[in-house]
Every structure is written in structure tokens, then in C-alpha cells.
């Protein structure tokens, strides 16, 4: 298990962590197996999506903001960030990627992102590499 630390600078921000995950997989020496990428946070999530056009990151964030209104939920009475929790729940806390021939089996246009829905703050990404038994 390894931990990547990410600092975000905006309220909503998707940060590409693919290269850090690739290094962890390489250093693990695992040739065939699974790599789990997990965000241990209630208002952050992990997704895999297009890396080529950075607009996609903002489009995903904007689309979720159009779907999930702010300030109208029960939890907003606690710390006013219910929309952040709901977005994180929809996107999900982790992704699992196959490892084939020692590499992440990612498509050409795919990268791994941590989605911070309640930034700016420092986030952790836990990466667990499991060899095929
Ligand atoms: Zn909250």
C-alpha cells in the first residue's frame, strides 16, 4: 500500500494522479494483478476518464453541479456541504484497474483522477497493488 498526497486549489477540482499510480505499480514488481485506487474522504472521489482535453475535468464538475443543487439538503444545517457529499457518493470512492505485463491496463485516452468536491484542501489517495494469486 502507498499513499499519494494531493493539494487542491479550488472548491471543485479533478487532479490527475495516473503517473504517481504508475510509479507505485512499477515499484511493486507485480506483473499480473489488480491496482485499487481509493480516496479515504467523504467529499472526494476517484474516477477514470479522458486525459487529452482538460475541459472534460471541468465539464464533469459542472455537470454534477447542474444535477446537484447546493444549500437545500438536511446535512447543510451541519456544515453546509451536502452537495459535496452527494457528488462524492455518485462518483464513488475507488477504482480498480487490471495490471497486465507490469502495466496499468489503461486505454489511450484514460487517466485516473481524484475529484475534490470540497476543496481547497489536502487529500490522500491510497493505492493498493495486489498480485494475481
Ligand atoms: Zn459535511
Amino acid at each position: 500500500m502507498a499513499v499519494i498526497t494531493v493539494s487542491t486549489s479550488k472548491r471543485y477540482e479533478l487532479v490527475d494522479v495516473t503517473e504517481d499510480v504508475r510509479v507505485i505499480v512499477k515499484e511493486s514488481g507485480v506483473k499480473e494483478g489488480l491496482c485499487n485506487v481509493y480516496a479515504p474522504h467523504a467529499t472526494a472521489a476517484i474516477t477514470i476518464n479522458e486525459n487529452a482535453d482538460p475541459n472534460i475535468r471541468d465539464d464533469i464538475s459542472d455537470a454534477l453541479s447542474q444535477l446537484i443543487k447546493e444549500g437545500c439538503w438536511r446535512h447543510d444545517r451541519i456544515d453546509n456541504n451536502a452537495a459535496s457529499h452527494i457528488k462524492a457518493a455518485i462518483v464513488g470512492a475507488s477504482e480498480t484497474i487490471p495490471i497486465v505485463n507490469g502495466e496499468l491496463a489503461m486505454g489511450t485516452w484514460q487517466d485516473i483522477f481524484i475529484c475534490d468536491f470540497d476543496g481547497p484542501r489536502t487529500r490522500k489517495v491510497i493505492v493498493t497493488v495486489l498480485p494475481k494469486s
Side-chain angles (χ1 to χ4, degrees), residues 22-35:
R22 282 206 169 99
V23 168
I24 292 164
V25 169
K26 192 150 276 186
E27 288 177 351
S28 77
V30 171
K31 300 300 176 201
E32 307 290 329
L34 293 172
C35 176

Side-chain angles (χ1 to χ4, degrees), residues 72-107:
C72 59
W73 308 100
R74 293 171 192 86
H75 179 75
D76 289 322
R77 286 177 240 145
I78 308 294
D79 63 354
N80 201 36
N81 68 350
S84 305
H85 290 282
I86 295 166
K87 290 173 183 178
I90 289 171
V91 175
S94 73
E95 293 281 359
T96 300
I97 305 122
I99 301 167
V100 179
N101 297 324
E103 306 275 352
L104 292 169
M106 307 278 296

